[in-house]
Amino acid sequence: MTRLAAQLSLSLVAIIVGIMLVGQLRSQAPAIELSSLTAQELSDLISTLGSANTQLNNELTAVRQQVDRIQRRAVEGESDLMPAREDVIRFSAFGGLTAVEGQGIVLDIEGLFTPADVTDVIHELRSGGAEAIAIDGVRITASSVPVLGIEIDGVRIGNPFRLTAIGSPDGLTSALQRPGGILQLLEQSIEATYSLESREQMTIPATERDLTPQVAQPVE
Amino acid sequence: MTPRLPARARPLFRPQWAVSIALALAAIGFLGTAQWNSSLTRGEFISSAQGVLVNRAEQLRAEQSRLLDELEGAETQLQALQELALGSEAELDRENERLRAARVAAGAQEMGGPGVVIEIADSLRSVPVGESRNDYIVLVSDLRDIVTALWASGAEAIAISGSLTEGAPSARLVSTTPIVGAGAAILVNGVPLSPPYRIQAIGPDGLHDRFLTHPAFIGRVERRIDAFDLQFASQAVDEVIVPGFVGNTRMQWGAPVREEDR
């Protein structure tokens, strides 16, 4: 009996040691990484994470509704190719295969740009929530990048060039015009001049490129 | 009179047990102290304004990780249901083929193929007095330049991961992907990553060579790698798997122009 009690005590001690060890290890890593950021950087990070999570939540709700609808129709024995067709339209618009219309902004900008400057403007717009972007009528897909020339998808863009983006006009304008933001930076570094306006209705064309991969294959 | 132990009775603790227990108690003491100390440090930290922000960022990051997992599961379920949807066999096949092509073009489909793997991380050199720390860390512009050089060299699919997302899927680059900075962290698709950054790209033969000689790479990043000893490695590989994009693909401010509207 006493031997059993001693073994139980030792087991208990071992378990406590284990739990404390895990707790100790877990209390380390992430705080160290984030605590190296300044308060301003953390605020920016929180703001970006917050809006990204809102978008993820919306997407999750929409996908779950689609799943529910398909399951309901299947129970009722109804034909249901409609969700697949809707998704073809959705993914085609998202990827740049079809034209998109809606609210947004138009930016006409002139200066001694490098391709990297144009890339920076594109990323600021995406960060501001742009849903579709075109430069001088060339739809910006995932792989459309400004290169020396300046060319995008084989098309030489002008100077000034016109950038159109669909998204929240306020969100896009703030992203571009925030203090220390891209437009202020370009004004200071290359004396860029620009005009920026909101549009209630605009159309961004589809890409003219074939986006079918040549070597990449879908993983089943 | 001192009671005597029966002849066959054993003492409760043998000497070697006493040693084990002493060691275990010492370990508990050590760990307990460490735990207490870290709790104190954390307590003090959390009481500061920055601590509150750190906590909030951690909560949001955990929430993001959960949402990404749930969304990936829901998308998989949706795809499976769509493939089984009722309808004529031929019609269904045609629709699924169109859907797959649209998902591939949008970056929503996991892809595999030959390509390159690139890793870049901060310099291990200590920053000399009078120089900027920023020169010795990987910047947003470095990742943007690498990605530009890869796309311009013929990459067909690209994903980026970082050490903060260990265990989480890589961020697939799609038409709405911003690569932006938040101090030492770089956010891709709104997910904070920290170095070392790993960039995986699928593309045709010669992608690696074209990438290494592309002006977008040699113009700025390569010079920074050489000047500040940023850690960098790249190699061509026979097979890379690039995950599908997990995130928002629905438009809120715009809508697709339907064929019949044109």
Side-chain angles (χ1 to χ4, degrees), chain A residues 96-111:
Chain A
L97 289 173
T98 56
V100 176
E101 59 189 357
Q103 287 186 64
I105 55 117
V106 176
L107 172 72
D108 290 309
I109 186 163
E110 184 169 17

Side-chain angles (χ1 to χ4, degrees), chain A residues 37 90 94 120 131 220, chain B residues 50 100 144 175 249 252 255:
Chain A
L37 303 183
R90 171 164 64 102
F94 180 77
D120 290 346
E131 296 174 349
E220 297 304 329
Chain B
Q50 197 185 17
R100 173 178 297 226
R144 287 181 183 172
S175 62
T249 54
Q252 190 186 346

Side-chain angles (χ1 to χ4, degrees), chain B:
Chain B
M1 192 171 135
T2 313
R4 292 181 59 190
L5 287 169
R8 297 188 61 196
R10 285 179 291 194
L12 183 57
F13 295 109
R14 289 178 173 180
Q16 61 267 41
W17 283 40
V19 171
S20 305
I21 288 171
L23 282 174
L25 289 172
I28 289 176
F30 171 75
L31 287 166
T33 310
Q35 191 80 20
W36 174 248
N37 282 341
S38 69
S39 303
L40 280 181
T41 312
R42 192 139 182 84
E44 287 162 12
F45 194 58
I46 287 166
S47 68
S48 73
Q50 197 185 17
V52 174
L53 293 174
V54 167
N55 276 350
R56 181 67 190 132
E58 280 177 358
Q59 282 168 5
L60 286 169
R61 214 167 60 181
E63 185 187 344
Q64 186 178 61
S65 176
R66 176 185 62 78
L67 285 169
L68 284 169
D69 283 348
E70 288 184 21
L71 185 55
E72 194 174 13
E75 288 274 14
T76 306
Q77 189 185 8
L78 176 62
Q79 226 178 323
L81 285 169
Q82 282 171 337
E83 282 165 14
L84 293 171
L86 299 174
S88 84
E89 201 68 27
E91 202 180 4
L92 181 59
D93 285 350
R94 206 166 43 243
E95 214 52 52
N96 277 327
E97 198 43 56
R98 288 185 63 209
L99 179 54
R100 173 178 297 226
R103 289 179 64 90
V104 167
Q109 173 72 44
E110 186 176 35
M111 304 293 281
V116 300
V117 176
I118 296 161
E119 285 190 356
I120 185 165
D122 299 345
S123 173
L124 294 175
R125 268 167 55 184
S126 51
V127 181
V129 178
E131 288 196 30
S132 168
R133 177 179 168 268
N134 281 353
D135 288 338
Y136 292 82
I137 63 173
V138 178
L139 303 174
V140 170
S141 58
D142 297 327
L143 287 192
R144 287 181 183 172
D145 286 352
I146 287 172
V147 165
T148 296
L150 281 169
W151 285 129
S153 302
E156 297 178 350
I158 304 178
I160 304 181
S161 58
S163 67
L164 272 184
T165 48
E166 204 169 338
S170 308
R172 173 74 175 268
L173 306 192
V174 293
S175 62
T176 55
T177 298
I179 302 176
V180 291
I186 293 177
L187 286 88
V188 182
N189 287 338
V191 177
L193 310 177
S194 66
Y197 302 99
R198 186 180 173 88
I199 302 113
Q200 294 178 292
I202 301 174
D205 274 356
L207 174 65
H208 187 229
D209 292 340
R210 286 193 297 278
F211 163 74
L212 288 175
T213 53
H214 194 277
F217 176 69
I218 56 178
R220 224 170 22 177
V221 196
E222 194 181 42
R223 273 195 235 157
R224 281 181 27 79
I225 291 166
D226 292 342
F228 304 110
D229 273 349
L230 297 178
Q231 300 175 79
F232 179 84
S234 68
Q235 74 173 89
V237 288
D238 293 336
E239 177 77 5
V240 182
I241 301 292
V242 172
F245 172 69
V246 178
N248 187 33
T249 54
R250 283 157 223 273
M251 293 186 173
Q252 190 186 346
W253 299 89
V257 178
R258 310 237 173 187
E259 287 298 318
E260 56 266 32
D261 299 337
R262 308 184 84 183

Side-chain angles (χ1 to χ4, degrees), chain A residues 97 141 143 207-214, chain B residues 105:
Chain A
L97 289 173
T141 66
S143 57
T207 181
E208 293 191 358
R209 288 172 54 210
D210 179 3
L211 298 182
T212 312
Q214 301 305 302

